[in-house]
Amino acid sequence: MHRRANFTPTTIICQNSQMNVTTLIWMVVSCLVVCVTSMTSRPHIIFIVADDLGWNDIGYRNPDVLSPHLDELASTGIKLNHSYVQPLCSPSRSAFMTGYYPFRLGLQHLVIGHAQQVCVPLDKTFLPQVLKKYGYATHMVGKWHLGFCKWECTPTYRGFDSFLGYYNSEEDYYTKNVANGFDFRAGKVLDRAAAKNYSAYQYGDRVTQVIKEHNTSQPLFLYFPIQSVHKPLEVPEYYFNLYPNMNNKGRRIFSGMVTAMDDQVGRMVKALKDKNMYDDAIIFFTADNGGWIPYSGNNYPLRGGKLTIWEGGTRVPGFVHYPKLKTKGIQYDGLMHAVDWFPTIAEAAGIEYHDPEADGVSQWTSIISQSQSKRNELVYNLDFLGIALEGRSAIRVDDYKLIEGFPGLYEGWYKPDTAWRRDVPNTDYSDGDDMALRMDKMWINFKGLFNLKDDPYERNNLYNSRPDIVSKLKSRLNHYISKMVPANYPPRDPAADPKNFGGAWTPGWC
């Protein structure tokens, strides 16, 4: 099974009299934390999602990157060492918001395009809708990328009281334009004045405003999927100048973008403290996929990156920070997936919510008690529509990972100071290992088996030597294939053209 028994802490203690003393103590501690928050006042919840932030793109993993505020939150919280997401933006965000694997929503192929009649199915409940029912004020600041062809698909129709940000995926940080259209809104209203400033500053302004104006008698849910550090590579000169010793210009800009993002997180923490909300706030942090190799994102020493089902595309930085936790400054090694964020956050908020059809399972108790993860398997992706550039199919069960079909575009182990170039297809930018795939040799029918405990960087393919393990994982993969729905990836709709809406990307064309 992909998940383990999901009991509340009290039920575990009552039903398992054989539990060892250490585990029992941890369960009692967990129960106390959860019970206190549920019986008195619900905690404030901050859910930060960094865009395209790779494994090696944050200071606590790479000292060359300046991210002191995020580092402080992680080092005084609980770092998630095996936290997985999807290889691309829209699929991960759909998993965060619904608790469903994207291949069960038709969202497993690439991302939702600017002019596609697609959004997350409207019959699925979103995380803010649940939190709202339990008294939370719900606010969103940043990137949506979950569809907008009609208003019902947009944030303020799917559980958010307010929204400041954009619907698409790769806006200019200053002009707020993408694909010949303007895309920046406050709620439903276009905010053309936003074109005058760097977006990270604007998101920081809005986040601090939300906190400053919040009525503290009500719990707050703030979803903060900041634009940084997705392409285009743009950053104010101040941040660029913080990295004078970086010779790779792309990497220098990218690193500055990380620091600019980090400063907005620092502003957020200060606002929480000034409002006396910090001690009651749980801060969750994750990236939405691995770093994008051509745009200076970095996942070294993991293999691959965004657009792949290698570890570099799917295993990302993440942490939980809560001042009231007694377990701080530690690392959690249990398995977690993007679909688990919904139920994990709900349980942290003291909410008993269960969708029997969903794929996610709450990891809250496991994380704060350092107990075994309730998950022992996960699906990286299932995409059978043409050549799945983000990876055709892969599954992990316990320590073993099976890949069937093309793993994705970027196959090597890319160091931070290398520049991947499309115009030099025969250049190997790996660290010299002959398994690195060059772009002129796509492994369309690749088959791989890796023991991630012994071989976390995926260098030793065991596919031919362990047919027993291959058979076991294929069986589990086939189980999920039987639950898969076809990818919903229609052609561009000319009705979406911004010219039809005064030059802006606007709902109402499907």
Side-chain angles (χ1 to χ4, degrees):
M1 296 294 291
H2 81 285
R3 63 180 82 182
R4 304 183 191 277
N6 186 16
F7 302 113
T8 63
T10 304
T11 306
I12 294 175
I13 293 171
C14 294
Q15 292 190 358
N16 191 353
S17 59
Q18 303 302 314
M19 187 176 295
N20 64 55
V21 174
T22 300
T23 304
L24 181 60
I25 292 172
W26 278 119
M27 292 297 100
V28 172
V29 171
S30 305
C31 183
L32 289 175
V33 172
V34 174
C35 290
V36 167
T37 59
S38 61
M39 289 190 298
T40 56
S41 60
R42 300 190 189 280
H44 305 299
I45 303 290
I46 315 293
F47 186 22
I48 306 171
V49 177
D51 199 344
D52 289 4
L53 186 78
W55 182 257
N56 200 36
D57 288 335
I58 194 166
Y60 69 79
R61 295 203 183 279
N62 180 356
D64 291 335
V65 177
L66 304 176
S67 55
H69 300 103
L70 288 166
D71 296 350
E72 174 68 14
L73 292 173
S75 64
T76 56
I78 302 175
K79 297 174 185 175
L80 305 176
N81 194 39
H82 288 89
S83 181
Y84 287 84
V85 292
Q86 297 298 129
L88 279 170
C89 308
S90 297
S92 287
R93 292 161 197 268
S94 70
F96 297 153
M97 289 293 105
T98 68
Y100 282 74
Y101 279 122
F103 65 81
R104 297 189 59 207
L105 305 174
L107 297 175
Q108 65 269 44
H109 187 74
L110 297 176
V111 298
I112 296 175
H114 308 308
Q116 287 183 305
Q117 288 195 23
V118 177
C119 73
V120 178
L122 295 176
D123 63 344
K124 292 296 180 284
T125 300
F126 270 36
L127 172 60
Q129 293 174 312
V130 172
L131 295 174
K132 195 174 179 67
K133 289 180 180 178
Y134 284 83
Y136 275 81
T138 58
H139 300 276
M140 176 180 169
V141 181
K143 173 179 175 176
W144 182 238
H145 209 188
L146 292 175
F148 68 95
C149 71
K150 55 185 174 181
W151 288 109
E152 290 81 359
C153 298
T154 61
T156 53
Y157 287 79
R158 307 211 74 166
F160 288 103
D161 296 329
S162 77
F163 166 65
L164 182 85
Y166 58 108
Y167 292 149
N168 280 295
S169 63
E170 51 187 30
E171 277 69 1
D172 184 280
Y173 282 72
Y174 292 95
T175 68
K176 311 302 188 289
N177 287 322
V178 59
N180 299 316
F182 181 82
D183 185 10
F184 199 88
R185 292 176 184 269
K188 295 173 62 177
V189 180
L190 285 170
D191 183 5
R192 292 192 180 273
K196 65 184 179 182
N197 202 354
Y198 188 64
S199 71
Y201 297 154
Q202 294 163 309
Y203 297 135
D205 289 346
R206 175 56 183 164
V207 164
T208 55
Q209 180 189 26
V210 167
I211 294 169
K212 182 178 180 180
E213 297 178 355
H214 181 67
N215 179 353
T216 55
S217 65
Q218 183 180 22
L220 169 68
F221 173 57
L222 175 59
Y223 177 46
F224 187 18
I226 191 168
Q227 182 175 3
S228 310
V229 287
H230 197 289
K231 78 175 182 81
L233 298 184
E234 297 176 322
V235 76
E237 185 177 3
Y238 167 79
Y239 291 102
F240 181 80
N241 290 338
L242 292 177
Y243 295 89
N245 297 322
M246 282 194 177
N247 296 322
N248 183 309
K249 184 177 180 181
R251 186 64 183 169
R252 185 175 176 181
I253 297 172
F254 183 98
S255 299
M257 295 169 73
V258 174
T259 307
M261 171 181 67
D262 182 77
D263 275 354
Q264 307 319 306
V265 173
R267 292 179 65 193
M268 181 200 75
V269 171
K270 183 179 184 302
L272 289 170
K273 291 180 177 178
D274 290 346
K275 189 74 171 182
N276 293 320
M277 293 169 61
Y278 173 75
D279 288 341
D280 296 313
I282 307 176
I283 300 172
F284 298 94
F285 177 87
T286 183
D288 64 342
N289 46 247
W292 203 351
I293 305 302
Y295 300 99
S296 298
N298 193 255
N299 312 288
Y300 195 81
L302 301 181
R303 186 174 187 177
K306 175 179 177 175
L307 271 168
T308 80
I309 46 181
W310 298 111
E311 294 295 283
T314 55
R315 184 180 172 190
V316 296
F319 63 77
V320 175
H321 178 90
Y322 188 23
K324 290 186 175 180
L325 287 179
K326 301 301 181 183
T327 49
K328 299 178 182 180
I330 56 177
Q331 177 172 282
Y332 181 64
D333 287 318
L335 204 59
M336 183 169 179
H337 188 266
V339 295
D340 297 334
W341 282 107
F342 184 147
T344 297
I345 289 172
E347 185 183 354
I351 295 171
E352 293 185 9
Y353 176 80
H354 180 59
D355 178 352
E357 298 299 319
D359 301 294
V361 58
S362 174
Q363 303 287 1
W364 176 244
T365 300
S366 298
I367 292 169
I368 66 174
S369 66
Q370 286 286 291
S371 57
Q372 188 177 41
S373 171
K374 295 175 184 175
R375 172 177 299 282
N376 75 322
E377 72 180 42
L378 62 86
V379 180
Y380 292 80
N381 200 39
L382 292 177
D383 186 358
F384 296 86
L385 182 62
I387 298 175
L389 298 181
E390 77 280 28
R392 183 175 182 270
S393 62
I395 188 171
R396 175 175 177 172
V397 179
D398 296 321
D399 294 330
Y400 285 94
K401 174 179 180 178
L402 175 70
I403 299 175
E404 292 274 344
F406 184 50
L409 282 176
Y410 313 111
E411 302 292 334
W413 298 263
Y414 306 92
K415 294 183 178 180
D417 58 350
T418 57
W420 189 92
R421 295 174 56 191
R422 292 181 183 275
D423 59 332
V424 189
N426 294 320
T427 303
D428 179 2
Y429 287 103
S430 75
D431 62 358
D433 193 291
D434 61 5
M435 284 183 67
L437 177 67
R438 299 182 176 96
M439 288 303 295
D440 60 343
K441 296 180 180 179
M442 292 184 178
W443 292 347
I444 303 301
N445 297 310
F446 176 74
K447 297 181 185 298
L449 178 71
F450 302 91
N451 183 331
L452 295 179
K453 181 179 180 180
D454 298 336
D455 178 27
Y457 310 136
E458 300 171 287
R459 296 180 180 276
N460 184 22
N461 190 345
L462 305 174
Y463 192 91
N464 293 325
S465 62
R466 292 303 306 267
D468 54 328
I469 301 297
V470 169
S471 177
K472 174 185 175 183
L473 269 62
K474 275 189 175 181
S475 176
R476 292 304 301 159
L477 194 62
N478 287 334
H479 164 75
Y480 287 104
I481 290 173
S482 71
K483 302 170 71 173
M484 179 182 69
V485 301
N488 185 11
Y489 199 78
R492 291 173 56 89
D493 188 339
D497 195 321
K499 293 178 182 178
N500 300 327
F501 300 94
W505 291 102
T506 301
W509 43 273
C510 72

